Amino acid sequence: MAPGSKVYIGKAYTHQPKFELISYSEEFSEGTEDAKLEQLQNLSEDGVHWINLDGLHDVSKVDEVSKIFNIHTLLIEDILDTTQRPKSVYEENYIFFTLKMIKNANNGEFYDEQVSIFMGRNWVLSFQEEKEDVFDPVRERIYTSGTTVRKKGSDYLVFSLLDIILDGYMELMDQLEKKAIKLEGKLVKNPNDNHFETIRKNKYQLISLKKMVHPLKEAVNKLLRTENDLIHPSVHKYLHDLNDQVAKVSDSIESLREINDSHRELYFSSLSHRMNKIIEILTIVSTIFIPLTFIVGVYGMNFKNMPELEQPNGYFYTLIGMGAMAFGMLVYFKRKKML
Amino acid sequence: MAPGSKVYIGKAYTHQPKFELISYSEEFSEGTEDAKLEQLQNLSEDGVHWINLDGLHDVSKVDEVSKIFNIHTLLIEDILDTTQRPKSVYEENYIFFTLKMIKNANNGEFYDEQVSIFMGRNWVLSFQEEKEDVFDPVRERIYTSGTTVRKKGSDYLVFSLLDIILDGYMELMDQLEKKAIKLEGKLVKNPNDNHFETIRKNKYQLISLKKMVHPLKEAVNKLLRTENDLIHPSVHKYLHDLNDQVAKVSDSIESLREINDSHRELYFSSLSHRMNKIIEILTIVSTIFIPLTFIVGVYGMNFKNMPELEQPNGYFYTLIGMGAMAFGMLVYFKRKKML
Amino acid sequence: MAPGSKVYIGKAYTHQPKFELISYSEEFSEGTEDAKLEQLQNLSEDGVHWINLDGLHDVSKVDEVSKIFNIHTLLIEDILDTTQRPKSVYEENYIFFTLKMIKNANNGEFYDEQVSIFMGRNWVLSFQEEKEDVFDPVRERIYTSGTTVRKKGSDYLVFSLLDIILDGYMELMDQLEKKAIKLEGKLVKNPNDNHFETIRKNKYQLISLKKMVHPLKEAVNKLLRTENDLIHPSVHKYLHDLNDQVAKVSDSIESLREINDSHRELYFSSLSHRMNKIIEILTIVSTIFIPLTFIVGVYGMNFKNMPELEQPNGYFYTLIGMGAMAFGMLVYFKRKKML
Amino acid sequence: MAPGSKVYIGKAYTHQPKFELISYSEEFSEGTEDAKLEQLQNLSEDGVHWINLDGLHDVSKVDEVSKIFNIHTLLIEDILDTTQRPKSVYEENYIFFTLKMIKNANNGEFYDEQVSIFMGRNWVLSFQEEKEDVFDPVRERIYTSGTTVRKKGSDYLVFSLLDIILDGYMELMDQLEKKAIKLEGKLVKNPNDNHFETIRKNKYQLISLKKMVHPLKEAVNKLLRTENDLIHPSVHKYLHDLNDQVAKVSDSIESLREINDSHRELYFSSLSHRMNKIIEILTIVSTIFIPLTFIVGVYGMNFKNMPELEQPNGYFYTLIGMGAMAFGMLVYFKRKKML
Amino acid sequence: MAPGSKVYIGKAYTHQPKFELISYSEEFSEGTEDAKLEQLQNLSEDGVHWINLDGLHDVSKVDEVSKIFNIHTLLIEDILDTTQRPKSVYEENYIFFTLKMIKNANNGEFYDEQVSIFMGRNWVLSFQEEKEDVFDPVRERIYTSGTTVRKKGSDYLVFSLLDIILDGYMELMDQLEKKAIKLEGKLVKNPNDNHFETIRKNKYQLISLKKMVHPLKEAVNKLLRTENDLIHPSVHKYLHDLNDQVAKVSDSIESLREINDSHRELYFSSLSHRMNKIIEILTIVSTIFIPLTFIVGVYGMNFKNMPELEQPNGYFYTLIGMGAMAFGMLVYFKRKKML
């Protein structure tokens, strides 16, 4: 394929993607759920316009809107490739982000969805894979007069979107930490093979999270370092806040990885323990009965002349002697803490 | 939640937080334990004013004082979120720190409390979670005339607070090192499962300490690198001293982590040793008695024609022979250092 | 050998290398499959000229064309040494790359071929080891009028070549990831010695891939950082795209390495498990039968006076007693989850 | 404690610390073993003056001399705290170092002593914990006319002191390397539990050495990077030499750490080996005798009709058969390389 | 010892070191095998002069020539200390290198020799430990008219020397890689204790190679970064070539280290496997014969009333029953893949 080819790479969705257009300023706000292309072509100079497309599988839609906002073909390729690595790109008239959003995080299970965001002077263009949307709280704040987002420009809107996405990571981290604590408890009490399976799955989860968050960290850092007049100075401290959140998520991933290692160790230690216990049982039983079996073997021999056998109480003395031997060995093992 | 939402995230406390106001200069010092908002609004231009709030769960209090000192809502959010990552922020009229304080460190057990500090031209604003306060030595020095803190400005006061917090870390490190040495002694003498539990808990403690200290290191470094006229040049060497202390704590955490790894190894080595010992016992007992049992089995056979059985001393010769065999094998094991 | 010696180091090929010359501009495009040296010496000033040599083993060919384009002897040495580390070099009138191309990637098996590319003002010179060529899609685009490559200069052509090479890496990564998932499934179900062999081979593959990609990352980074008027500003964003792709490949290698470690662990864990199972069998059999064998030994003794032996039902009572014992022990092992 | 508190933290020494004053220039040199404070207060402008205090436990002495040379209280605190991390500080009129000195290094055993050095325009102030002094060679060179130290200023004197301290590290590294080679030999021949103890102790030693040398490296690097007119350009190459030495020590520590890891592995490998050997013995004895014991058990049964028992040579045939079986199994084990 | 002491630290050689003087320019070249000091003192301004000393143990020789070329005493100390860490130093009138040369690399065995090289405007001074010389190819090229070395200055001569030294490293790496592949083959087929010994020795070899190459990398990097008019711009690309070679060697060391780790794992895996096999034998033999021995024990009991014993075919039925049992268990083990 030629570079800049417009091909969708991702899950097969069947819903019909629509453009949602929300226009607002300090004074007003209005939204259209299924905006037409003409509307997008004729945005007013006043206020902020947020266009959100809830599906990438209809390549023509992505293409059409990209033409309106003059998006570079390479970036269209990035939007359409849902395996794209998180990154940020600076162009003269817009800033571009693509990153992974955490969806449906329940009990530490989740999947990721790609979000791409373009921020222009007074417009924001966002692309998602699915219909169901985590951006609803932002919409609500836009429709409520007097909120910060209404007072500020497109830069603050983008920050709000990124903030909500990062909240998803934060919540997932919380869930993963709680899950790790639960797993720990089970491993201490009664470890089994399923736990090893879980530990391994957790490891893979953390590897894939690291692959999502590490380049995101780079992208946010780049955003902070690059001078750009699209971002108002008053929004800078919000970006620093984002940066702190990414750092916190990244710290959490690192410590979860260490805890995962620790769980694996705990599992193997318990395997080892169990083995020791089993071998102890074998040793105790063998060590007590093998010598006794030897003794009874002695008196089972068929020699003509074996004086003990003629003794009237020989049998009983032998039984008592063997009992004493067994008892002595049990005491020995008790002292060695093997029982 | 919208960014900048004022919500307390932390433990549920029930005490009524109060503002403590301490005003001082080289000539005078006076303190009010439960200052009213009006007092805080009308601070004199002279001297240094330290306002300390001993509780974050009453959000309205935090909000009120923030308005007086013009604190950005994002920072109010940081103060109220006790899971906040340590950081430092520079604003035009103040510097902001948030970090973790070590509380009740006894025998290596501790919990952390979040402290947030704002430093303005002639005022310092500090926020703590709990009533009980580790800053008493600073108060004492302020109330004593002639001390360094009385001669210097708000920058030195902040340094004194950070210094006391770091002393807490240093003391904890000392305790953890002593505890590690004790654990080592026990592991060498008589390791058991509880020790493995302890090793694992220590590891988690060190992971969480690293999560506290690593960003603190960044924050102090940033403080040293950033030019800021709120900090008097004469206070700079005190900040370098802080930096050295953080580096020392960070070094200690790293070496404790290595020692923790070493303890885990020691534990597993002892498990292995124990296993070896048990299997040795099994091997010795089996190797001595299994051949003997075979011999007595031979003379327990019921063949018609077995000349040895007819020998008058056959039985005794057999016993002697078996005794010699057992003795030979014991000597062999002794030589192989298995006994 | 003196530095700059022109000696081919690589596989022995027998085919006759030929120069392929493709000249194009927005208006026209024409190709010659076996171009003569005179043609190469008399390239027109208009359009872009791409000369591709499909074999390095004929040193004279490499030497001749190098003279025409004024290539430094040290770089000729690099072209001819197929064990050369990927790198990029800047000269006044050209930029030089040498890197590894992934060939015949099927089921995660592949071999690498060295490609060297020189980019001048309006010419591109590429050297490959083999005849079979992965650059065909670029040729096709050149021969098609209206494509981006036709509209742009030599810089875009080089980008297109590098892009195709990186696509090879990306595809390989996909295959390796799929192979890793398959291996995982097999390891969980029924691990055997061949799997350990596979794990080890995968590790070596990843080591060699890392050795190819790591310096490639450096080379592309250098390309981005260095100011050079051979590269048109409009091509810069294509280079950033390349950089993102290399980063993605590099991330994948790292995570595959972690997954490889995880597989090794899984294998060893299964070994351990199998061992435990075997020792459990031994323990159960021994622990049940050794005491029973002792009991039958007791009643096999030849003492004159053994009252039990005279009991008419002694034999049956003994059998029942032993059966009860065995049953009791089976219940015990069941409870201990050893059965 | 207030920052800058003058409290001695370290071992309890009982000797009476004295000031030693050595004054010298190219023309003369004179020393006073127990100099009075007045002498120190009235140093001539000519020549270089080296004041050495051989004890820190008498805080008043440290305090007095610090006042004369205008030492900052924070640095006095650093001098007195023998757990201080190595560092270097630049003040307008002096440079300050504090570092650890290797004392009594014999057979790889050693302890560290803190040395603090101040370097002014024409004076050097050094603080040690103990009386016994490693600086004697420098004294000797000062008292000998014509030596380099006599021709140069305070900067060269400080370099000479640091050089001697680093020689201590170098020698220790040599000893540790020799010790490691010896240990290796013992581990290969006949490893025992004491060796594991030694390996662990060596690890701790290397951890503490790393804690001493790593910040020292930073301090020397800082010295090289900082422009300072207290250091004459001609002394700069001596500082580079110091830097090389620290780097060499640091390299040695790293490779000793790797060797230590290797020793641990060797130890565990030998444990494993021993285990294997023991289990082999058990297996051989059991595998030979258990089947034989079964056979003799068969002919010990009391069935009425057992034709073999009536055979006149049945017993002898059985013995021969069992001998053949045992021999066969021994051959089998020999082939499997288990004997 | 005072810093800058001229003492030889290294192996005891007995040969008489000689100065070799080679003077050349584009027009002429002449060599003297045993040059006198007077010759060295009176070098002509024209051409390049290469003085090579083949032994360091005669300190006076090193000292004499150093005086002629104004070498700093600290550098003389570095030349004489054959344990010196590789480094490069810039002085006003010369550049100094000291590094390790690979000697007698056969089958991956080698030793290192220290080489020190000074490069002045039109002279090069080289110091080696031994008589036998790897620089012969350079000599040959100098004596051949028309070669590059004859056309260029002292900078190119130094490059040629460093290039030959690096070729030694490259060849060694090739040998080590081949050796590693061979070892791998042996480990897969039939691992034994000697292989573990080899793996450990290889590890130490790689540690010591890393200690040689890592600082060499730093030194060559420094050479590239430092502006210096002793090096002609046209020689710069040769230095970049050197840099690439060092990077390649360094990459190889890293990947050999990973392969070494892999070998160690392979060895331990095979140990584990062998153990498993042995324990399987033990388990199979025990599990089959212990129950059978119990049965024959039952019929060896001496109860008066045992109906089976009276059965005429009891013995044969018992034998058949036991045979069936043994066969059943063998089938079971076969299914469990233990046979």
Side-chain angles (χ1 to χ4, degrees), chain A residues 141 184 237-238 244 247-248 251 258 262 265 273 276 280 283 290 302-306 308 337, chain B residues 2-3 72 83 85 87 91 193 200 204 257 264 267 274-275 278 299-302 309 312 315 318:
Chain A
R141 273 179 252 149
E184 176 110 14
K237 48 179 66 86
Y238 290 95
D244 289 342
K248 201 177 164 185
D251 280 9
E258 294 203 55
S262 190
E265 237 158 45
H273 250 278
N276 273 13
E280 270 181 31
T283 302
I290 287 179
N302 298 321
F303 284 103
K304 282 278 167 301
N305 178 21
M306 287 175 73
E308 296 96 321
K337 292 196 183 145
Chain B
H72 196 281
T83 68
R85 199 173 176 258
K87 69 175 186 177
E91 296 289 330
D193 289 11
R200 239 180 52 253
Y204 292 156
R257 281 164 70 98
R264 218 178 40 242
Y267 174 76
R274 211 173 157 238
M275 183 81 144
I278 291 171
Y299 295 117
M301 292 195 292
N302 298 320
L309 300 181
Y315 174 55
T318 305

Side-chain angles (χ1 to χ4, degrees), chain E residues 238-250:
Chain E
Y238 291 95
L239 295 179
H240 273 103
D241 200 65
L242 269 189
N243 200 24
D244 289 341
Q245 287 181 55
V246 181
K248 201 176 164 185
V249 170
S250 178

Side-chain angles (χ1 to χ4, degrees), chain D residues 14-265:
Chain D
T14 55
H15 67 274
Q16 179 60 33
K18 288 175 190 165
F19 290 111
E20 182 192 24
L21 170 64
I22 302 180
S23 300
Y24 67 90
S25 73
E26 195 159 0
E27 291 80 28
F28 79 101
S29 69
E30 60 174 359
T32 322
E33 284 225 352
D34 188 3
K36 304 288 152 220
L37 277 177
E38 300 83 68
Q39 279 177 282
L40 306 183
Q41 279 157 340
N42 302 303
L43 295 173
S44 72
E45 287 287 301
D46 303 328
V48 177
H49 306 282
W50 173 21
I51 299 107
N52 180 49
L53 181 62
D54 57 356
L56 304 170
H57 48 289
D58 186 350
V59 175
S60 67
K61 288 240 164 180
V62 176
D63 199 28
E64 283 160 358
V65 76
S66 297
K67 270 175 200 151
I68 299 174
F69 291 97
N70 242 319
I71 307 295
H72 196 280
T73 44
L74 276 178
L75 299 185
I76 302 178
E77 197 185 359
D78 291 344
I79 299 168
L80 291 171
D81 179 0
T82 62
T83 69
Q84 177 60 39
R85 199 173 175 257
K87 69 174 188 179
S88 62
V89 174
Y90 291 72
E91 296 288 330
E92 214 178 323
N93 52 340
Y94 55 77
I95 300 177
F96 168 69
F97 299 88
T98 181
L99 64 161
K100 306 295 171 201
M101 193 153 75
I102 299 297
K103 293 290 282 268
N104 273 23
N106 280 318
N107 294 318
E109 298 295 322
F110 68 96
Y111 62 93
D112 59 285
E113 183 190 327
Q114 177 151 309
V115 205
S116 302
I117 300 174
F118 289 85
M119 176 193 130
R121 175 76 50 202
N122 74 333
W123 52 270
V124 168
L125 192 53
S126 59
F127 297 90
Q128 302 180 55
E129 289 182 54
E130 294 188 352
K131 233 170 165 173
E132 184 217 359
D133 202 344
V134 299
F135 290 152
D136 280 339
V138 179
R139 283 189 190 86
E140 205 171 299
R141 273 179 253 148
I142 292 178
Y143 291 137
T144 312
S145 75
T147 52
T148 320
V149 70
R150 283 280 284 276
K151 290 176 202 150
K152 294 191 174 269
S154 61
D155 45 4
Y156 188 87
L157 174 56
V158 166
F159 158 74
S160 302
L161 300 181
L162 294 177
D163 187 66
I164 274 198
I165 292 168
L166 269 166
D167 281 354
Y169 280 98
M170 305 284 252
E171 208 201 300
L172 177 63
M173 286 301 124
D174 269 7
Q175 287 183 14
L176 291 179
E177 272 159 24
K178 272 177 206 148
K179 213 179 134 193
I181 290 167
K182 256 191 212 163
L183 178 59
E184 177 109 14
K186 284 181 197 160
L187 278 169
V188 168
K189 266 195 224 144
N190 187 18
N192 65 41
D193 288 11
N194 294 339
H195 295 147
F196 185 57
E197 194 69 19
T198 309
I199 293 165
R200 241 181 49 255
K201 273 188 189 154
N202 288 352
K203 193 183 169 181
Y204 293 156
Q205 232 179 23
L206 291 168
I207 291 174
S208 79
L209 270 170
K210 197 185 157 195
K211 262 169 104 175
M212 289 189 238
V213 173
H214 194 71
L216 182 60
K217 209 170 164 183
E218 281 170 29
V220 173
N221 252 304
K222 198 176 148 194
L223 195 65
L224 281 172
R225 281 195 321 269
T226 317
E227 299 233 340
N228 195 305
D229 62 347
L230 285 171
I231 299 174
H232 192 264
S234 74
V235 176
H236 251 101
K237 48 179 66 84
Y238 290 96
L239 295 180
H240 273 103
D241 200 66
L242 269 189
N243 199 26
D244 290 342
Q245 287 182 55
V246 181
K248 200 176 165 186
V249 170
S250 178
D251 279 9
S252 284
I253 292 174
E254 276 323 298
S255 70
L256 278 169
R257 282 165 69 97
E258 294 204 54
I259 288 166
N260 188 270
D261 283 351
S262 189
H263 285 166
R264 218 178 41 243
E265 238 158 44

Side-chain angles (χ1 to χ4, degrees), chain A residues 24 48 148-156 232 234-235 238:
Chain A
Y24 67 90
V48 177
T148 320
V149 70
R150 283 280 283 276
K151 290 176 201 150
K152 294 189 175 272
S154 62
D155 45 4
Y156 187 86
H232 192 265
S234 74
V235 176
Y238 290 95

Side-chain angles (χ1 to χ4, degrees), chain C residues 94-338:
Chain C
Y94 56 77
I95 301 177
F96 168 69
F97 299 89
T98 181
L99 66 161
K100 307 294 171 203
M101 194 152 73
I102 298 298
K103 294 289 282 269
N104 274 24
N106 280 319
N107 294 319
E109 297 297 320
F110 68 95
Y111 63 92
D112 60 283
E113 182 190 325
Q114 178 151 309
V115 204
S116 302
I117 299 173
F118 288 85
M119 176 192 129
R121 175 75 51 201
N122 75 333
W123 52 271
V124 169
L125 193 53
S126 58
F127 297 89
Q128 302 180 56
E129 289 182 53
E130 294 186 354
K131 232 171 167 174
E132 184 219 358
D133 202 344
V134 299
F135 291 152
D136 281 339
V138 178
R139 283 190 190 85
E140 204 171 300
R141 273 179 253 148
I142 291 178
Y143 292 137
T144 312
S145 76
T147 52
T148 319
V149 70
R150 283 281 283 277
K151 290 176 200 150
K152 293 188 176 271
S154 62
D155 43 6
Y156 188 86
L157 174 56
V158 166
F159 158 74
S160 302
L161 300 179
L162 295 176
D163 188 65
I164 274 200
I165 292 168
L166 269 167
D167 280 354
Y169 280 99
M170 305 283 254
E171 208 201 301
L172 177 63
M173 285 301 124
D174 268 7
Q175 287 183 15
L176 291 179
E177 271 159 25
K178 273 178 206 148
K179 211 178 136 195
I181 289 167
K182 257 193 212 162
L183 178 59
E184 176 109 14
K186 286 180 196 160
L187 279 169
V188 168
K189 267 195 224 144
N190 187 15
N192 64 42
D193 288 12
N194 294 339
H195 294 147
F196 186 56
E197 194 70 19
T198 309
I199 293 165
R200 241 181 50 253
K201 271 185 190 157
N202 288 351
K203 192 183 170 180
Y204 292 158
Q205 231 179 23
L206 291 168
I207 291 175
S208 80
L209 270 170
K210 197 184 157 195
K211 262 169 105 175
M212 288 188 237
V213 173
H214 195 71
L216 181 60
K217 209 171 163 182
E218 280 170 27
V220 173
N221 251 305
K222 199 177 149 194
L223 194 65
L224 281 172
R225 282 195 321 269
T226 318
E227 300 232 340
N228 196 303
D229 62 348
L230 286 171
I231 298 174
H232 192 264
S234 75
V235 175
H236 251 103
K237 48 179 66 83
Y238 290 96
L239 296 179
H240 273 104
D241 200 65
L242 269 188
N243 199 25
D244 288 341
Q245 287 182 55
V246 181
K248 200 176 164 185
V249 170
S250 177
D251 279 9
S252 283
I253 292 174
E254 276 323 298
S255 70
L256 279 169
R257 282 164 69 97
E258 294 203 55
I259 288 166
N260 187 270
D261 283 351
S262 189
H263 286 167
R264 218 176 43 241
E265 237 158 45
L266 188 54
Y267 174 76
F268 281 115
S269 147
S270 79
L271 265 195
S272 230
H273 251 278
R274 206 169 163 241
M275 183 80 143
N276 273 12
K277 280 286 158 225
I278 292 171
I279 290 185
E280 270 180 30
I281 293 175
L282 178 60
T283 302
I284 291 168
V285 169
S286 302
T287 309
I288 291 177
F289 284 102
I290 287 180
L292 297 182
T293 303
F294 165 69
I295 291 170
V296 300
V298 167
Y299 294 116
M301 292 195 293
N302 297 321
F303 283 102
K304 281 281 169 297
N305 178 20
M306 287 175 72
E308 297 96 321
L309 299 182
E310 314 297 328
Q311 289 266 340
N313 291 325
Y315 174 53
F316 306 104
Y317 292 158
T318 305
L319 284 187
I320 290 163
M322 292 193 300
M325 247 180 91
F327 181 77
M329 276 196 284
L330 283 172
V331 169
Y332 174 82
F333 288 130
K334 196 83 186 176
R335 282 216 186 132
K336 288 274 177 186
K337 292 195 182 142
M338 279 167 71

